[in-house]
Amino acid sequence: MKDPDCNCSSEVIWRYIDRELPAREMAVVSEQIRGCDNCRSMYEGQALLARSLSTGFVDSPFGESFVARSRERFGSAGLGESSGDGLRTIQSGTRLLLGYRASSLLRSRRAKGIAAMLLLVPAMIAIGLLVGPRREQSLGGLRVTGRDEVGVRVAGSSAEVIFIQPQPGSSSFQAGRVYDIPAGTTLSLTLGAGDEGRDPAARLDVAGPARFSTDPDCTPHNFHGNLVSGDLRARVSPRGEGESFRISSGGLHQARVIGTIFVLSARDGATSLTVEEGLVGFGVLGETGDYIEKTKVDPGAGTVTLAAAGILSGIAPAAGPAESGREEPALPGSSAAASPAADAPAVDAPGEGRPAAGKTPESLRDQLDRPANPRGK
Amino acid sequence: MLAEDREYVERVLAGEPEVFEHLVRKYNRLGGAIAYGVLSDFHLAEDVVQDAFIRAFEALAGLKEPARFRFWFAGIVKRRSIDVLRQRKTPRMRAASLEAGAADDGEGQVLGSTISSDSRRPDQSPDDSQLDAAVHAERRRQVLECISGLDEDDRMVVSLKHMEGMSYKEIAELMELSVSAVESRLFRARKVLRKQLAAALKLDLPES
C-alpha cells in the first residue's frame, strides 16, 4: 500500500539506483521501496530504464574485443609473426618511433600510425602469445533467486552480456566474470561443489544491488573475488595448505579467510566486515596490490570498517544502528535465503554457525536472511 | 587506481612498452564512452580511441602527472572526437551502423511489442534463441538511437554512466562539471529517454 508519508522523489530513487546515497540513506530508501507501492513502482520503472540503457551499449566495440582487434590489425599487416619476433619487433618499434620523431618523412599520418602500431600492437601480440588464450575455469555452481535477472559479462569486456533469470536450477560459475546483481536479487555461488568428493570450498551469497567479479586466474581452492559494491555473505570451509580465499572490495581492501562465516559490505570506498565464525584477516591493498593486514577480526569484534584511506574503525558490539554508520546496506527484498527450496546451494540455515549473532548488525543480517519476494509474488 | 596508472606509465617510459597494453585494456571503454558521447557512432569512436592511444603513447613522456593518465587520456579522446566531428561536417550518423541493426525498423517494432523478456530462458529452442537475439539486437539499436538524439553533453553523461558505470563524482571530474550538474544532466536525459523508450520498446516505465 502507499505510505501516507511517502515523500520519495524520482531524484532520490535515481541516486539510490546509482548507489550515490550515503549508506544510512540507502537503507532508508530501501525500506521505503519495500513498504510503499508508489515508491516501489517508481523504483522498478527506473531500474528497468537503467538496465535498458546499459544493455544498449553491450554491442559497443570496446572492452577486450578492442584490444583483440588492435592485435588483428597488426597481424594482418604482417608486422609480427611469433612471440620471439614480437619481442624483437617491440625493440625495433621503439627505435623506429624514436627515429620517427626526428624524421619529416614519418610525420605523415600514415607513417605515424604505422610507427605507433609497430610499437604498440606487437607488444599486445607478444603478451597475447606469451600468455596464450585464457582457459575458462569453472569454479562451481551458480544460482539466482529473487526478482530480476543477473547480468554476466567477461571481465574486461562489454560485449558478452548474458542474463541469468531467477530459477531453481544451478548454472556454471566461472572465473573471469563480472556479475551485476539488481536490487531484490541474490546471486548464490558454490565453489568447488562436488569437487573430488569434498565439501564445497565456499558458499557465497551476494545480495543486490551489487557488482561482484571473479579473478580470471582463480580456482575453487585459491579463490579471489572482488566485491565492487554491495553486500556479500560467505561461508568458507577451512583452507588446506596452499589454498586461499580472498575477497577484495573496490580494489582498496581485502579480507583473507582461513575458514569462517562472514559478511562483507562495500559502500562508497569503505568496507565493513562482520565475522560470525572463525577468524578473518582484514587489510588494505597497497599501490601495487600488495595486501597489508590491518587487523584480524573474530566474532567478538562486532563490525569493523576500513575507510578508503585505510583508517580502521570498530563498532562496539552494543552499538545500535544510529552509531553504525555504513553498516546499514540497502537491499530491498534481497536475501541469502531467498528461496525456500531445501536444495538452496549457498544458504546457511538461520542462526547456523553464529555464536556471536547478537553482535552483528541486525539490519544487515536480517536483510540477508529475509525471505524473497517481498511483494508476495 | 591512480597509483596503478602511475606505475604503468613509469614502466612504459622505463623501457617496457608492452605495459601500455594494460592502459589500453583499462581505458578503452572510457575512451569509447567519451568518443561515443561526442560522435554518436561506435565505428568512428573506435577509430578515435585507437588514434588517441597512439597519440597518448607518443606523448607519454610529456605527461607531468602519470597518476592522472586517465584524465589526460580522456582529454585526448575528447579533443580528437571534436576534431573528427568538425571534419565530417555531416549530420550525425545514427548508431544503427551496428550489427544490431540487422532487423529492419518495421520488424523490430513488431518484435519489440510482442516480446518483453530481456533474458535467455533455459527451455528455449534454437529458434527461440535466434528470435531473442534479433529482438535484443533490435532493442539495443533502438536504445542507442534514442541516446544518439540527446545533445552532446547529455549523451556523454549517459554513456559514462551506463557504458562505463562511473559515479557522479568521476563523471564530474572528467567533464569538469559539478556533481550536481552531472546529476541534473543525467536526470534530464533519463527523463527524455524514458518517454522515448517507453514508446519505442513498449516498456512499462511509470511516469516519475
Side-chain angles (χ1 to χ4, degrees):
Chain A
M1 60 181 286
K2 182 175 178 179
D3 179 349
D5 298 324
C6 170
N7 58 1
C8 259
S9 68
S10 179
E11 288 92 335
V12 170
I13 299 284
W14 273 122
R15 284 184 208 128
Y16 174 81
I17 291 169
D18 291 335
R19 306 188 67 81
E20 295 279 354
L21 292 170
R24 199 178 305 278
E25 288 180 44
M26 287 287 286
V28 170
V29 176
S30 176
E31 284 303 318
Q32 186 70 20
I33 290 170
R34 197 179 283 135
C36 172
D37 290 344
N38 189 43
C39 292
R40 189 162 56 244
S41 170
M42 200 186 307
Y43 163 76
E44 287 172 352
Q46 292 180 196
L48 178 59
L49 176 60
R51 285 206 306 280
S52 298
L53 293 175
S54 294
T55 56
F57 290 105
V58 299
D59 286 329
S60 84
F62 299 99
E64 196 61 30
S65 64
F66 177 91
V67 181
R69 268 193 308 284
S70 297
R71 290 188 188 125
E72 286 170 12
R73 280 174 66 176
F74 175 74
S76 64
L79 299 175
E81 299 297 330
S82 67
S83 59
D85 289 340
L87 290 172
R88 283 198 295 275
T89 310
I90 290 167
Q91 292 170 350
S92 63
T94 306
R95 285 196 293 273
L96 179 60
L97 191 70
L98 291 172
Y100 137 79
R101 291 186 187 284
S103 165
S104 59
L105 177 66
L106 288 175
R107 282 200 188 110
S108 72
R109 178 183 166 81
R110 178 179 173 78
K112 281 169 76 177
I114 292 172
M117 283 296 164
L118 277 168
L119 188 61
L120 291 178
V121 187
M124 297 178 181
I125 288 176
I127 291 170
L129 290 172
L130 289 171
V131 175
R134 258 179 190 141
R135 190 165 54 90
E136 290 190 342
Q137 167 79 38
S138 175
L139 300 174
L142 168 157
R143 201 174 71 150
V144 176
T145 49
R147 290 209 299 261
D148 295 314
E149 68 269 28
V150 168
V152 187
R153 62 182 163 85
V154 176
S157 167
S158 64
E160 298 178 39
V161 175
I162 62 167
F163 295 95
I164 303 175
Q165 282 189 314
Q167 56 186 314
S170 181
S171 310
S172 177
F173 165 39
Q174 292 180 313
R177 294 290 185 270
V178 180
Y179 299 90
D180 283 308
I181 305 116
T185 301
T186 297
L187 175 68
S188 298
L189 308 169
T190 307
L191 270 67
D195 181 12
E196 300 166 5
R198 300 168 62 169
D199 288 336
R203 291 175 170 176
L204 296 92
D205 295 299
V206 190
R211 176 173 287 180
F212 182 72
S213 64
T214 51
D215 191 281
D217 300 317
C218 69
T219 68
H221 299 291
N222 284 288
F223 180 77
H224 186 194
N226 185 23
L227 180 67
V228 181
S229 62
D231 300 281
L232 170 153
R233 183 170 190 266
R235 178 176 190 166
V236 186
S237 297
R239 305 281 88 183
E241 192 174 339
E243 296 182 340
S244 63
F245 183 93
R246 292 172 291 153
I247 302 286
S248 302
S249 60
L252 293 172
H253 308 129
Q254 191 171 97
R256 293 191 167 197
V257 178
I258 299 163
T260 192
I261 301 173
F262 68 96
V263 175
L264 199 64
S265 298
R267 291 278 186 284
D268 302 332
T271 307
S272 298
L273 173 69
T274 308
V275 176
E276 298 179 7
E277 182 181 292
L279 188 65
V280 176
F282 194 30
V284 299
L285 294 171
E287 292 188 354
T288 56
D290 51 316
Y291 171 73
I292 305 160
E293 188 160 285
K294 288 285 189 179
T295 186
K296 282 189 167 55
V297 183
D298 63 15
T303 297
V304 176
T305 298
L306 269 170
I311 300 166
L312 193 66
S313 60
I315 307 296
E323 297 173 86
S324 58
R326 298 181 183 279
E327 283 72 44
E328 294 276 355
L331 306 167
S334 64
S335 168
S339 169
D343 62 348
V347 175
D348 298 320
E352 179 184 347
R354 289 178 195 146
K359 298 177 179 179
T360 56
E362 284 300 323
S363 61
L364 175 58
R365 200 178 62 238
D366 285 351
Q367 288 177 71
L368 282 167
D369 287 345
R370 183 175 291 124
N373 300 329
R375 291 177 295 174
K377 277 191 174 179
Chain B
M1 286 166 62
L2 299 183
E4 185 179 64
D5 293 354
R6 185 177 63 211
E7 184 201 341
Y8 290 154
V9 170
E10 287 172 353
R11 285 175 63 187
V12 172
L13 293 174
E16 296 182 74
E18 68 275 14
V19 172
F20 197 75
E21 178 169 347
H22 293 304
L23 293 166
V24 173
R25 176 171 279 110
K26 188 172 177 181
Y27 289 123
N28 75 80
R29 284 170 52 82
L30 169 66
I34 293 169
Y36 178 80
V38 175
L39 296 162
S40 192
D41 182 292
F42 276 138
H43 293 314
L44 284 178
E46 184 179 11
D47 286 345
V48 164
V49 175
Q50 182 80 50
D51 189 48
F53 274 121
I54 292 169
R55 285 165 185 255
F57 187 91
E58 290 172 357
L60 203 58
L63 176 58
K64 291 178 183 171
E65 295 181 73
R68 292 183 61 81
F69 176 88
R70 176 167 79 158
F71 301 101
W72 179 69
F73 174 68
I76 295 174
V77 173
K78 188 169 182 185
R79 284 192 297 275
R80 281 297 300 144
S81 300
I82 292 170
D83 286 348
V84 169
L85 192 65
R86 285 178 182 152
Q87 285 163 13
R88 286 176 60 80
K89 290 186 177 175
T90 56
R92 263 183 219 138
M93 289 176 62
R94 295 194 329 164
S97 52
L98 289 168
E99 288 179 10
D104 65 42
D105 286 353
E107 183 183 12
Q109 290 289 351
V110 173
L111 294 174
S113 66
T114 54
I115 297 179
S116 60
S117 169
D118 210 10
S119 309
R120 294 181 182 175
R121 300 180 301 278
D123 59 340
Q124 63 192 166
S125 67
D127 285 346
D128 289 336
S129 297
Q130 289 167 5
L131 186 63
D132 260 10
V135 171
H136 291 179
E138 173 59 15
R139 292 182 63 168
R140 290 195 289 270
R141 187 191 68 75
Q142 289 179 316
V143 169
L144 286 177
E145 193 170 321
C146 292
I147 293 171
S148 72
L150 297 171
D151 74 38
E152 183 183 312
D153 283 344
D154 288 357
R155 190 167 57 239
M156 192 176 297
V157 170
V158 169
S159 302
L160 290 168
K161 182 72 211 172
H162 289 285
M163 180 173 161
E164 186 61 359
M166 297 176 81
S167 68
Y168 298 170
K169 189 180 172 190
E170 289 172 323
I171 295 170
E173 284 177 348
L174 272 178
M175 294 185 68
E176 297 179 341
L177 296 170
S178 66
V179 170
S180 60
V182 168
E183 187 181 14
S184 170
R185 284 186 179 281
L186 200 50
F187 183 75
R188 182 178 62 204
R190 283 162 163 171
K191 200 167 185 178
V192 170
L193 292 168
R194 186 199 66 74
K195 283 185 183 168
Q196 294 178 347
L197 288 172
L201 302 180
K202 306 290 190 288
L203 292 177
D204 180 20
L205 297 172
E207 191 79 41
S208 52

